[in-house]
Amino acid sequence: MAKSVTVRTFLNMKQAGEKIAMVTAYDYPTAKLLEEAGVHALLVGDSLGMVVQGQSTTVPVTLDDILYHTRMVTRAVTRPLVVADMPFLSNQISIETTLRNAGRLMQEGGAHAVKMEGGAELADTVHRLVQAGIPVMAHVGLTPQSVHALGGFAVQGRKLPEVERMLDAVTALEQSGAFAVVLEAVPAEVAEAITKRLTIPTIGIGAGAGCDGQVLVFHDMMGYTSGYIPKHNKQYATLASTIVQAAKSYVQDVATGQFPGPDQTVYLKPAERAELEPLLQPNH
Ligand code: KIV
């Protein structure tokens, strides 16, 4: 069996110039398949609010939601690093609350690390969590939990003050002990400059090929959604049409009596049949 991926592996991969492949996972069977495929890290992202729960943003997702899904994922895998997302406000109220919430994701959920959206203002919180033994993945650029404050899901880092703020943030977060940083919806040139500046790996989503790794949302990359697909997505499968096609065949089979067939049916053994025969008669 291949060795487990740890935060140390992330650093070693950056140093060796090996790219990190991360995918979101929210349940047991999916996590198992992604492990089998050799994915290095699984993110139990609050994107589950949109792709699993059918919400229009990630804001309604709760810590208990993340915990519920993290348990399923960690139960399934031994090799990938499992990172649990800190949902809206779970890392904003106080350092103590953040510590308690992150601690639950690790202790009760079995996560190996947590991810937090936010900039330099989180540096002290990250430092405290790392001191307590909780590895933190930072997340800058487009931070979907702030969608209402940002005014939409737009690319971040096109203007000087914005980029300066982002550079200050990633520097502060690295110094505070974050082991990696997600760069979401950031122009490729900016993401590449950040990647070169940091010793910790950058994981891009809509941030170009210059990052140290990439992350995609499972439902988007597998074509398992009828909702909005972001421009940065690459679709590797067409699960939605496969499922619709299969379900149509099932409906048709039920209608025509093709299902269940003899292979899916249990029959009485001759002795059982003989004993029950009188009861099986329609006029009994
Ligand atoms: O919640 C999520 O899936 C994420 C990724 C898009 C990075 O935060």
Side-chain angles (χ1 to χ4, degrees):
M1 197 204 329
K3 268 173 62 180
S4 296
V5 176
T6 66
V7 296
R8 168 65 48 192
T9 318
F10 263 49
L11 208 55
N12 291 344
M13 287 178 78
K14 173 160 182 142
Q15 283 163 2
E18 290 170 32
K19 297 281 188 180
I20 300 162
M22 185 171 193
V23 178
T24 66
Y26 317 108
D27 61 52
Y28 182 93
T30 308
K32 266 216 163 323
L33 296 174
L34 293 172
E35 174 176 57
E36 190 181 325
V39 171
H40 301 109
L42 301 178
L43 172 63
V44 186
D46 63 358
S47 50
L48 69 87
M50 297 172 79
V51 297
V52 176
Q53 296 176 339
Q55 317 263 18
S56 58
T57 73
T58 59
V59 173
V61 176
T62 66
L63 190 78
D64 283 338
D65 291 337
I66 298 285
L67 202 48
Y68 175 75
H69 289 275
T70 302
R71 285 196 191 105
M72 294 184 225
V73 169
T74 55
R75 219 173 273 147
V77 300
T78 55
R79 183 176 177 271
L81 185 80
V82 179
V83 182
D85 227 350
M86 300 284 295
F88 185 67
L89 286 193
S90 67
N91 62 325
Q92 299 288 349
I93 291 164
S94 69
I95 292 184
E96 284 66 32
T97 315
T98 308
L99 202 49
R100 202 164 296 122
N101 290 338
R104 286 191 69 199
L105 295 177
M106 307 254 314
Q107 250 186 337
E108 299 172 38
H112 307 129
V114 299
K115 177 172 81 58
M116 287 198 291
E117 293 184 12
E121 76 285 353
L122 288 182
D124 289 344
T125 307
V126 172
H127 180 66
R128 187 69 191 90
L129 262 63
V130 173
Q131 271 189 332
I134 302 175
V136 179
M137 176 176 274
H139 181 161
V140 305
L142 171 59
T143 46
Q145 289 167 19
S146 308
V147 59
H148 298 302
L150 295 171
F153 295 104
V155 170
Q156 304 293 308
R158 291 185 184 278
K159 294 274 188 302
L160 186 63
E162 240 173 56
V163 175
E164 281 174 341
R165 235 190 349 267
M166 216 182 285
L167 287 172
D168 287 348
V170 292
T171 306
L173 292 162
E174 174 174 72
Q175 281 169 1
S176 303
F179 74 94
V181 56
V182 168
L183 303 178
E184 178 164 357
V186 174
E189 299 88 335
V190 175
E192 194 171 337
I194 292 175
T195 301
K196 287 188 176 142
R197 200 174 275 224
L198 298 181
T199 55
I200 58 172
T202 57
I203 308 295
I205 176 160
C211 297
D212 299 304
Q214 299 292 328
V215 56
L216 280 178
V217 171
F218 177 83
H219 291 59
D220 295 343
M221 71 180 286
M222 297 300 178
Y224 185 23
T225 170
S226 52
Y228 164 77
I229 307 275
K231 178 180 174 308
H232 61 246
N233 183 60
K234 180 168 176 184
Q235 197 177 311
Y236 287 87
T238 51
L239 293 194
S241 55
T242 303
I243 291 170
V244 170
Q245 210 39 58
K248 277 185 178 171
S249 302
Y250 166 71
V251 170
Q252 179 73 8
D253 278 1
V254 171
T256 59
Q258 298 271 98
F259 177 82
D263 289 347
Q264 297 94 33
T265 304
V266 174
Y267 295 101
L268 292 169
K269 293 183 180 132
E272 293 167 339
R273 182 162 184 111
E275 186 187 29
L276 295 176
E277 196 61 55
L279 298 180
L280 302 177
Q281 296 314 313
N283 53 1
H284 172 76

